[in-house]
Amino acid sequence: MNNQEQHIPVHLLSGFLGSGKTTLLRRLLDYYTAQGKKPAVIMNELGDINLDGQLVGDEVPMAEMLSGCICCTMRGDLGMEISMLINEHQPDVIFIESTGAANPMETLDGVTEAAMYKPIDLRSVITVVDGPELLARSRDGKGRTFKLMLEQIRCATVLLLNKADKLEPDELVEAQQQLRELNAHAQIIATVRCAIDEWSWLDDEHAPSAPFRQNPAAAGGHEQEGAAAGHAGESGPCAVPGCTSENHTHGHKEAGHHHSHDHVMVMTHYWRSPVNSEAFEALLQRLPSNIYRAKGIVTFTDAPSRFLFQYAYKESDFMRIDPQGHVNDVAVFIGEHFSKEWLLRELEQLENTENRAQ
């Protein structure tokens, strides 16, 4: 598949129970349908009834994944659901609302499975944080719920600090600071009932991460959603892997050149041509430590068959395959705060080297 072909954007909605994910989903659907675009939804519930799905209009294609967590027991089904939605409905964008008990990083692994079969592009991980609960949980700081909230915030590319109307001004500042300590790169938007005036960043594949932005709607109104989640951090070492600096945030350089937006969580690359096996293995070995998972299908110039490859923490494995039906040659990389631009250059260099040799 040519990398210039249109890929279907996928957005993952995360956040603990009652934080406002379904309210956000409804607003997102309204935004895209108003533009004449066709959104589709995958909803995950731990129980066997999807009550939130009743809030989504019948005109929106929806797949339900019930009685299990999308990040563990049902992860293998996610890629199949994405493929079926694309085959049956040809949506312009897909939203995945995971159960509040799901770990986003593990869910991402399920999303990448579909990239082997369909042209998708994970654009964002949007975590909705309940502002009052964020402060309350941070003062306790114990238990599994605390740790899950921590992961949901750290994995986000966009953080919605929801229910901002229930916070005093000093509490709002405290909540913003705690989110920034946990996630130095994500855009932070304070909201009431997940209302956002400007949604254009959803459509920008290379949208910059802003240090902080308060939505005008957060200045007033009342939030009616139930008890939820969030997590706050304490001052100390930076949460970004590989960084040992104390008590700081990673900002954008002010020089006159383009600065990479390092909050990218997943990069999907559709191969334009076969590549050399030794050169590809060498690239895997020199991947930075914050790219810790990769998988995909690749065709080598120096081997007679296609290969399914798996990479995790400097260990790689290749298995010969003979896929039935159409399967893309694709490479999917998962990590935290890595440079998409650097990785793309490395992959394109592999392709260009082989093209020049032919």
Side-chain angles (χ1 to χ4, degrees):
M1 172 173 293
N2 192 308
N3 271 307
Q4 301 304 315
E5 290 186 26
Q6 184 67 38
H7 298 159
I8 300 173
V10 176
H11 299 274
L12 175 60
L13 310 185
S14 176
F16 211 69
L17 303 171
S19 57
K21 295 189 301 298
T22 303
T23 298
L24 171 62
L25 175 62
R26 294 173 65 189
R27 295 190 185 279
L28 291 167
L29 296 178
D30 289 343
Y31 169 74
Y32 277 100
T33 54
Q35 297 182 67
K37 295 184 178 180
K38 185 177 184 179
V41 174
I42 296 176
M43 298 194 78
N44 174 221
E45 291 287 351
L46 289 175
D48 55 8
I49 299 177
N50 179 17
L51 296 177
D52 288 339
Q54 304 301 315
L55 303 176
V56 177
D58 293 337
E59 71 281 1
V60 177
M62 182 174 64
E64 298 178 328
M65 301 182 67
L66 307 178
S67 302
C69 182
I70 203 171
C71 76
C72 46
T73 58
M74 305 184 72
R75 187 169 66 191
D77 299 332
L78 181 56
M80 182 172 61
E81 293 290 350
I82 292 174
S83 295
M84 291 175 60
L85 273 179
I86 294 174
N87 288 340
E88 295 178 15
H89 302 285
Q90 297 82 47
D92 297 306
V93 60
I94 297 175
F95 295 102
I96 302 173
E97 181 185 337
S98 59
T99 174
N103 183 318
M105 285 308 297
E106 296 180 8
T107 306
L108 293 182
D109 205 42
V111 175
T112 60
E113 296 286 347
M116 298 182 187
Y117 307 98
K118 297 297 177 182
I120 63 173
D121 179 18
L122 181 63
R123 291 287 178 84
S124 69
V125 178
I126 308 173
T127 295
V128 184
V129 181
D130 180 325
E133 277 294 307
L134 168 66
L135 298 183
R137 297 278 183 178
S138 67
R139 295 184 175 97
D140 181 21
K142 298 178 181 179
R144 293 183 179 180
T145 297
F146 176 90
K147 293 180 180 179
L148 177 58
M149 292 175 181
L150 177 71
E151 292 303 316
Q152 291 175 340
I153 292 170
R154 281 182 170 170
C155 292
T157 60
V158 177
L159 287 163
L160 296 193
L161 180 54
N162 201 26
K163 307 185 184 180
D165 57 320
K166 295 186 177 181
L167 297 174
E168 297 297 329
D170 59 327
E171 292 177 325
L172 181 61
V173 172
E174 181 185 356
Q176 295 163 10
Q177 291 174 340
Q178 291 180 357
L179 290 178
R180 181 54 69 219
E181 288 171 4
L182 283 170
N183 189 324
H185 300 273
Q187 182 178 8
I188 300 175
I189 307 173
T191 62
V192 174
R193 296 189 63 80
C194 296
I196 299 177
D197 291 335
E198 177 56 57
W199 295 96
S200 60
W201 49 270
L202 283 165
D203 303 312
D204 186 358
E205 183 177 359
H206 303 289
S209 58
F212 170 71
R213 169 160 83 87
Q214 177 167 330
N215 194 58
H222 296 280
E223 178 69 44
Q224 299 295 328
E225 298 175 68
H231 166 68
E234 301 173 356
S235 60
C238 175
V240 179
C243 178
T244 57
S245 298
E246 297 280 330
N247 303 324
H248 72 285
T249 59
H250 293 254
H252 288 284
K253 296 179 181 177
E254 308 236 342
H257 63 277
H258 171 72
H259 177 60
S260 171
H261 303 300
D262 295 328
H263 62 271
V264 177
M265 302 298 300
V266 173
M267 179 182 152
T268 303
H269 180 77
Y270 292 92
W271 297 105
R272 296 175 299 171
S273 62
V275 297
N276 180 269
S277 62
E278 292 185 2
F280 181 60
E281 289 187 63
L283 172 59
L284 292 180
Q285 289 306 305
R286 66 174 183 271
L287 289 177
S289 59
N290 53 349
I291 299 178
Y292 44 75
R293 183 85 167 90
K295 63 171 66 173
I297 295 175
V298 60
T299 300
F300 293 126
T301 56
D302 50 342
S305 66
R306 302 170 75 188
F307 289 82
L308 173 68
F309 77 90
Q310 302 271 357
Y311 167 89
Y313 304 101
K314 299 298 181 182
E315 297 289 334
S316 55
D317 181 65
F318 294 84
M319 181 176 67
R320 291 178 184 269
I321 59 170
D322 183 18
Q324 302 298 312
H326 176 73
V327 178
N328 297 314
D329 273 10
V330 63
V332 181
F333 299 85
I334 305 174
E336 293 184 275
H337 315 302
F338 64 87
S339 170
K340 180 177 180 179
E341 289 81 0
W342 172 84
L343 183 54
L344 181 60
R345 286 195 303 268
E346 293 289 324
L347 294 168
E348 289 180 338
Q349 183 175 342
L350 287 179
E351 296 169 322
N352 293 336
T353 298
E354 288 305 313
N355 289 335
R356 288 194 298 267
Q358 295 175 359

mmCIF file of all heavy atoms in Angstrom, residues 315-331:
data_model
loop_
_atom_site.group_PDB
_atom_site.id
_atom_site.type_symbol
_atom_site.label_atom_id
_atom_site.label_comp_id
_atom_site.label_asym_id
_atom_site.label_seq_id
_atom_site.Cartn_x
_atom_site.Cartn_y
_atom_site.Cartn_z
ATOM 1 N N GLU A 315 14.255 -7.208 21.595
ATOM 2 C CA GLU A 315 14.185 -8.589 21.123
ATOM 3 C C GLU A 315 13.232 -8.655 19.927
ATOM 4 O O GLU A 315 12.120 -8.134 19.982
ATOM 5 C CB GLU A 315 13.686 -9.523 22.230
ATOM 6 C CG GLU A 315 14.602 -9.604 23.439
ATOM 7 C CD GLU A 315 15.895 -10.353 23.132
ATOM 8 O OE1 GLU A 315 15.878 -11.191 22.208
ATOM 9 O OE2 GLU A 315 16.905 -10.092 23.806
ATOM 10 N N SER A 316 13.672 -9.294 18.836
ATOM 11 C CA SER A 316 12.839 -9.370 17.648
ATOM 12 C C SER A 316 12.684 -10.816 17.201
ATOM 13 O O SER A 316 13.547 -11.666 17.448
ATOM 14 C CB SER A 316 13.432 -8.527 16.510
ATOM 15 O OG SER A 316 14.765 -8.901 16.242
ATOM 16 N N ASP A 317 11.567 -11.079 16.529
ATOM 17 C CA ASP A 317 11.265 -12.429 16.065
ATOM 18 C C ASP A 317 10.586 -12.330 14.703
ATOM 19 O O ASP A 317 9.742 -11.450 14.480
ATOM 20 C CB ASP A 317 10.340 -13.134 17.065
ATOM 21 C CG ASP A 317 10.014 -14.549 16.635
ATOM 22 O OD1 ASP A 317 10.938 -15.376 16.588
ATOM 23 O OD2 ASP A 317 8.837 -14.813 16.332
ATOM 24 N N PHE A 318 10.957 -13.231 13.781
ATOM 25 C CA PHE A 318 10.403 -13.229 12.432
ATOM 26 C C PHE A 318 9.827 -14.611 12.119
ATOM 27 O O PHE A 318 10.459 -15.623 12.412
ATOM 28 C CB PHE A 318 11.480 -12.878 11.402
ATOM 29 C CG PHE A 318 12.002 -11.470 11.525
ATOM 30 C CD1 PHE A 318 13.009 -11.158 12.434
ATOM 31 C CD2 PHE A 318 11.487 -10.456 10.732
ATOM 32 C CE1 PHE A 318 13.488 -9.871 12.557
ATOM 33 C CE2 PHE A 318 11.966 -9.163 10.839
ATOM 34 C CZ PHE A 318 12.962 -8.870 11.752
ATOM 35 N N MET A 319 8.630 -14.632 11.525
ATOM 36 C CA MET A 319 7.992 -15.891 11.179
ATOM 37 C C MET A 319 7.495 -15.818 9.733
ATOM 38 O O MET A 319 6.793 -14.872 9.352
ATOM 39 C CB MET A 319 6.819 -16.166 12.115
ATOM 40 C CG MET A 319 6.106 -17.482 11.836
ATOM 41 S SD MET A 319 4.808 -17.822 13.052
ATOM 42 C CE MET A 319 3.651 -16.496 12.667
ATOM 43 N N ARG A 320 7.879 -16.802 8.933
ATOM 44 C CA ARG A 320 7.414 -16.855 7.549
ATOM 45 C C ARG A 320 5.895 -17.040 7.521
ATOM 46 O O ARG A 320 5.347 -17.830 8.279
ATOM 47 C CB ARG A 320 8.076 -18.012 6.803
ATOM 48 C CG ARG A 320 9.562 -17.836 6.563
ATOM 49 C CD ARG A 320 10.132 -19.060 5.866
ATOM 50 N NE ARG A 320 11.568 -18.965 5.703
ATOM 51 C CZ ARG A 320 12.176 -18.443 4.647
ATOM 52 N NH1 ARG A 320 11.434 -17.973 3.631
ATOM 53 N NH2 ARG A 320 13.481 -18.398 4.564
ATOM 54 N N ILE A 321 5.234 -16.325 6.622
ATOM 55 C CA ILE A 321 3.785 -16.444 6.517
ATOM 56 C C ILE A 321 3.377 -16.493 5.053
ATOM 57 O O ILE A 321 4.091 -16.033 4.159
ATOM 58 C CB ILE A 321 3.048 -15.271 7.205
ATOM 59 C CG1 ILE A 321 3.464 -13.939 6.578
ATOM 60 C CG2 ILE A 321 3.285 -15.281 8.702
ATOM 61 C CD1 ILE A 321 2.618 -12.773 7.042
ATOM 62 N N ASP A 322 2.203 -17.043 4.817
ATOM 63 C CA ASP A 322 1.594 -17.064 3.488
ATOM 64 C C ASP A 322 0.140 -16.652 3.666
ATOM 65 O O ASP A 322 -0.769 -17.486 3.707
ATOM 66 C CB ASP A 322 1.694 -18.462 2.875
ATOM 67 C CG ASP A 322 1.122 -18.507 1.462
ATOM 68 O OD1 ASP A 322 0.984 -17.425 0.849
ATOM 69 O OD2 ASP A 322 0.805 -19.615 0.988
ATOM 70 N N PRO A 323 -0.112 -15.324 3.806
ATOM 71 C CA PRO A 323 -1.459 -14.849 4.149
ATOM 72 C C PRO A 323 -2.490 -15.217 3.102
ATOM 73 O O PRO A 323 -2.207 -15.240 1.903
ATOM 74 C CB PRO A 323 -1.287 -13.322 4.225
ATOM 75 C CG PRO A 323 0.190 -13.094 4.341
ATOM 76 C CD PRO A 323 0.839 -14.227 3.616
ATOM 77 N N GLN A 324 -3.692 -15.513 3.583
ATOM 78 C CA GLN A 324 -4.821 -15.765 2.705
ATOM 79 C C GLN A 324 -5.578 -14.452 2.517
ATOM 80 O O GLN A 324 -5.904 -13.768 3.477
ATOM 81 C CB GLN A 324 -5.749 -16.823 3.311
ATOM 82 C CG GLN A 324 -5.058 -18.137 3.599
ATOM 83 C CD GLN A 324 -4.514 -18.796 2.331
ATOM 84 O OE1 GLN A 324 -5.220 -18.896 1.330
ATOM 85 N NE2 GLN A 324 -3.266 -19.237 2.376
ATOM 86 N N GLY A 325 -5.845 -14.082 1.273
ATOM 87 C CA GLY A 325 -6.516 -12.822 1.024
ATOM 88 C C GLY A 325 -5.542 -11.657 1.058
ATOM 89 O O GLY A 325 -4.321 -11.830 1.122
ATOM 90 N N HIS A 326 -6.090 -10.444 1.031
ATOM 91 C CA HIS A 326 -5.255 -9.244 0.982
ATOM 92 C C HIS A 326 -4.781 -8.862 2.377
ATOM 93 O O HIS A 326 -5.580 -8.638 3.285
ATOM 94 C CB HIS A 326 -6.042 -8.080 0.382
ATOM 95 C CG HIS A 326 -5.278 -6.792 0.403
ATOM 96 N ND1 HIS A 326 -4.216 -6.544 -0.431
ATOM 97 C CD2 HIS A 326 -5.413 -5.693 1.182
ATOM 98 C CE1 HIS A 326 -3.723 -5.343 -0.187
ATOM 99 N NE2 HIS A 326 -4.436 -4.800 0.794
ATOM 100 N N VAL A 327 -3.479 -8.800 2.554
ATOM 101 C CA VAL A 327 -2.874 -8.365 3.812
ATOM 102 C C VAL A 327 -1.775 -7.365 3.468
ATOM 103 O O VAL A 327 -0.892 -7.648 2.655
ATOM 104 C CB VAL A 327 -2.282 -9.546 4.608
ATOM 105 C CG1 VAL A 327 -1.620 -9.040 5.885
ATOM 106 C CG2 VAL A 327 -3.357 -10.554 4.943
ATOM 107 N N ASN A 328 -1.823 -6.193 4.075
ATOM 108 C CA ASN A 328 -0.854 -5.146 3.770
ATOM 109 C C ASN A 328 0.520 -5.453 4.345
ATOM 110 O O ASN A 328 0.634 -6.052 5.411
ATOM 111 C CB ASN A 328 -1.321 -3.805 4.343
ATOM 112 C CG ASN A 328 -2.620 -3.336 3.731
ATOM 113 O OD1 ASN A 328 -2.795 -3.383 2.527
ATOM 114 N ND2 ASN A 328 -3.536 -2.874 4.573
ATOM 115 N N ASP A 329 1.557 -4.992 3.659
ATOM 116 C CA ASP A 329 2.881 -4.909 4.264
ATOM 117 C C ASP A 329 2.904 -3.644 5.102
ATOM 118 O O ASP A 329 2.748 -2.529 4.579
ATOM 119 C CB ASP A 329 3.965 -4.845 3.173
ATOM 120 C CG ASP A 329 4.396 -6.223 2.708
ATOM 121 O OD1 ASP A 329 3.739 -7.211 3.090
ATOM 122 O OD2 ASP A 329 5.378 -6.320 1.963
ATOM 123 N N VAL A 330 3.064 -3.793 6.404
ATOM 124 C CA VAL A 330 2.916 -2.660 7.311
ATOM 125 C C VAL A 330 3.810 -2.857 8.522
ATOM 126 O O VAL A 330 4.129 -3.988 8.913
ATOM 127 C CB VAL A 330 1.426 -2.528 7.745
ATOM 128 C CG1 VAL A 330 0.978 -3.761 8.514
ATOM 129 C CG2 VAL A 330 1.191 -1.266 8.565
ATOM 130 N N ALA A 331 4.235 -1.759 9.118
ATOM 131 C CA ALA A 331 4.993 -1.797 10.370
ATOM 132 C C ALA A 331 4.344 -0.829 11.348
ATOM 133 O O ALA A 331 4.093 0.331 11.002
ATOM 134 C CB ALA A 331 6.459 -1.416 10.135
#
